[in-house]
């Protein structure tokens, strides 16, 4: 009888569905649209893994992880933030990979009331409000500051800056016509549709390359690595390309 009961118990355990893995992915705000589509496609290919997406400026995401927020995969919009995560031992360095590249652009509201036509025209009186990401926590802001400093324009334009907490906030300002110009990634300007127009690409010394990694605190490292592999693989790359991202 004991053998029969044991065999029955084993059979019942084997019949139970495998426990789903729950992953939290913290990704740079500029990845929102592309990663939402990747999430949907990933779910089809991996029904046993549930994803929760968390989008914000890369610096904000890093701060959340430092404070103990449960994160399994981290995707940053710049190398500096990921370097800081590595230094603080918040990621599994062996899983780190560069997966896309972006461009920094100067954009304006579609009607361009200030008649901004290039970087030098930002100094004109008509251009009164220029939105940029906060360089202290937003990668697009750091790229912007570095570019304008090299061009000798940072100090002169500083009084006009409207600081934003993410690149998507800069895009919102542009879309609503609340600023005369703003610095965003090319992919974000594309998401602005007919409400936003790119004036020019901004030259940067450091390429805008995004890294991704499994975190050191990941609850299911195998499942997290599966997501990273999907993002860096053919299907993930095709989705990212559709949204304007380039290969690193």
């Amino acid at each position: 009888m004991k053998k029969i009961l044991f065999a029955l118990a084993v059979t019942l355990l084997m019949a139970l569905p495998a426990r789903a893995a729950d992953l939290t992915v913290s990704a740079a705000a500029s990845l929102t649209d592309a990663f939402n589509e990747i999430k949907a496609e990933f779910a089809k290919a991996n029904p046993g893994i549930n994803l929760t997406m968390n989008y914000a400026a890369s610096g904000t995401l890093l701060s959340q992880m430092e404070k103990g927020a449960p994160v399994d995969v981290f995707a940053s919009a710049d190398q500096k933030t990921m370097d800081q995560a590595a230094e603080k031992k918040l990621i599994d360095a062996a899983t780190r990979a560069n997966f896309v590249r972006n461009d920094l652009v100067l954009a304006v509201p579609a009607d361009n009331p200030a008649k901004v036509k290039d970087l030098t025209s930002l100094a004109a009186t008509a251009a009164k409000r220029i939105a940029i990401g906060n360089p202290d926590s937003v990668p697009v802001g750091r790229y912007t500051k570095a570019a304008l400093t090299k061009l000798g324009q940072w100090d002169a334009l500083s009084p006009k800056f409207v600081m934003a907490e993410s690149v998507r906030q800069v895009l919102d300002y542009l879309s609503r016509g609340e600023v005369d110009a703003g610095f965003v990634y090319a992919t974000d300007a594309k998401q602005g549709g007919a409400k936003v127009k790119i004036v020019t690409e901004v030259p940067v010394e450091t390429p805008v390359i995004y890294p991704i990694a499994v975190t050191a605190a990941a609850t299911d490292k195998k499942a997290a690595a599966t997501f990273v592999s999907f993002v860096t693989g053919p299907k993930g790359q095709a989705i990212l390309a559709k949204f304007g991202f380039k290969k690193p």
Side-chain angles (χ1 to χ4, degrees):
M1 179 61 73
K2 289 184 179 180
K3 289 184 178 180
I4 294 174
L5 290 174
F6 177 75
L8 181 60
V10 171
T11 301
L12 289 172
L13 285 172
M14 291 178 66
L16 291 173
R19 179 181 174 276
D22 296 313
L23 300 181
T24 296
V25 177
S26 283
S30 52
L31 292 165
T32 301
D33 304 283
F35 266 34
N36 281 342
E37 185 163 326
I38 283 177
K39 175 185 177 181
E41 291 303 312
F42 180 81
K44 294 176 185 177
N46 301 273
I49 303 176
N50 300 321
L51 297 179
T52 297
M53 313 305 286
N54 175 39
Y55 302 111
S58 298
T60 298
L61 297 176
L62 176 64
S63 179
Q64 290 172 356
M65 289 192 294
E66 286 183 278
K67 294 175 182 176
V71 178
D72 301 284
V73 176
F74 178 42
S76 169
D78 69 339
Q79 299 295 323
K80 180 178 179 179
T81 305
M82 190 62 82
D83 288 344
Q84 291 174 332
E87 290 167 5
K88 298 175 188 295
K89 301 188 185 306
L90 294 172
I91 63 165
D92 180 346
T95 67
R96 178 174 177 172
N98 295 330
F99 68 104
V100 284
R101 179 169 58 84
N102 216 333
D103 295 314
L104 177 66
V105 299
L106 171 64
V108 296
D111 56 354
N112 194 11
K115 301 295 185 282
V116 175
K117 59 183 180 180
D118 52 29
L119 287 167
T120 57
S121 62
L122 291 175
T125 304
K128 297 177 181 179
R129 291 167 60 83
I130 304 168
I132 72 166
N134 186 334
D136 292 335
S137 59
V138 186
V140 74
R142 285 197 284 273
Y143 289 120
T144 300
K145 183 175 181 178
L148 292 179
T149 298
K150 185 176 181 181
L151 293 169
Q153 293 180 267
W154 177 259
D155 291 336
L157 295 177
S158 289
K160 300 183 178 186
F161 291 154
V162 176
M163 294 292 180
E165 294 309 309
S166 74
V167 68
R168 284 305 170 95
Q169 188 172 37
V170 176
L171 181 64
D172 286 342
Y173 289 152
L174 288 166
S175 298
R176 294 194 296 262
E178 296 175 356
V179 294
D180 299 302
F183 291 87
V184 295
Y185 297 124
T187 55
D188 293 288
K190 182 178 180 180
Q191 288 303 308
K195 296 180 180 180
V196 175
K197 182 174 68 173
I198 294 176
V199 173
T200 185
E201 183 177 323
V202 181
V204 293
E205 281 191 308
T206 302
V208 184
I209 295 177
Y210 293 48
I212 188 170
V214 174
T215 66
T219 54
D220 189 327
K221 292 189 183 297
K222 183 177 179 180
T226 299
F227 179 76
V228 171
S229 294
F230 189 89
V231 170
T232 57
K235 289 185 179 180
Q237 289 294 297
I239 293 171
L240 288 158
K242 186 176 79 171
F243 284 88
F245 289 96
K246 301 175 181 179
K247 291 188 176 182

